[in-house]
Amino acid sequence: DTAVSQTPKYLVTQMGNDKSIKCEQNLGHDTMYWYKQDSKKFLKIMFSYNNKELIINETVPNRFSPKSPDKAHLNLHINSLELGDSAVYFCASSQGYRSGETQYFGPGTRLLVL
Amino acid sequence: AQSVTQPDIHITVSEGASLELRCNYSYGATPYLFWYVQSPGQGLQLLLKYFSGDTLVQGIKGFEAEFKRSQSSFNLRKPSVHWSDAAEYFCAVGQTGGGNKLTFGTGTQLKVEL
């Protein structure tokens, strides 16, 4: 059983389109995250939710909107895609959001905007 | 603000040789420190983490890391590298202010020569 899963694994789309990436965890965790890994492999946190409530909201364009329908799911919707959005997006989860809680990562979604 | 520096972008070692990957952090308080590994096309897997106590931390796959406060370092070591260890290695620091936000270094790509 995959602990943290993401769909789709690959996403190729045109500039200006709207797309969503889905994330699900079956670990029973309360906290979920979205990270962006750019072409230089630099990883940066975007958002964090705990029990469907927004905890961390980094400086991210408002074209990115996370949605957590329940604590096992955290989806990422991106409006008006731009070339610079091309990256690998990782979802992660942890038991809670106390400092130091181990984060478990999904396999990533590779987004290419043409 | 917290930051992590991984001075070595690429490292090549021969199989069976020892390995040390460097990590320096900047953080005002006692940090939470992590090492993650990312195999090609995969998500991140936790190797080990340091919170407090014993400064030598043992992890999975035969890795260990030593926290040195005086040097602000948390270097990862392995006595004998296997070809399957070829991957990208990320050091990360977690803030203690809640939210479980991780700040990652830029990664070190390890190549293992047979």
Side-chain angles (χ1 to χ4, degrees), chain A residues 33 37 56 99-103, chain B residues 36 38 49 51 95 99-100:
Chain A
Y33 312 78
Q37 186 177 47
I56 295 173
S99 299
E101 294 268 10
T102 297
Q103 295 183 28
Chain B
Y36 280 86
Q38 183 181 20
K49 62 183 180 182
F51 287 178
Q95 68 182 23
N100 203 22

Side-chain angles (χ1 to χ4, degrees), chain A residues 27-43:
Chain A
L27 297 168
H29 288 169
D30 286 338
T31 308
M32 297 183 73
Y33 312 78
W34 277 111
Y35 285 84
K36 179 181 180 180
Q37 186 177 47
D38 63 23
S39 58
K40 295 184 179 178
K41 300 280 184 83
F42 183 61
L43 262 165

Side-chain angles (χ1 to χ4, degrees), chain B residues 24-40:
Chain B
N24 293 98
Y25 68 90
S26 172
Y27 190 66
T30 299
Y32 297 104
L33 294 162
F34 304 80
W35 274 101
Y36 280 86
V37 60
Q38 183 181 20
S39 298

Side-chain angles (χ1 to χ4, degrees), chain A residues 9 33 35 37 40-43 45 48 55-56 58 90 94 96-103 105-107 110, chain B residues 32 34 36 38 40-44 46 49 51 88 90 95-102 104-106 109:
Chain A
K9 192 169 182 178
Y33 312 78
Y35 285 84
Q37 186 177 47
K40 295 184 179 178
K41 300 280 184 83
F42 183 61
L43 262 165
I45 191 165
S48 166
I55 300 295
I56 295 173
E58 290 293 288
F90 286 101
S94 62
Y97 65 95
R98 284 186 314 167
S99 299
E101 294 268 10
T102 297
Q103 295 183 28
F105 284 77
R110 284 142 188 86
Chain B
Y32 297 104
F34 304 80
Y36 280 86
Q38 183 181 20
Q42 302 296 316
L44 281 76
L46 179 70
K49 62 183 180 182
F51 287 178
E88 189 91 22
F90 292 95
Q95 68 182 23
T96 54
N100 203 22
K101 175 182 171 182
L102 288 180
F104 283 86
T106 49
Q109 187 166 29

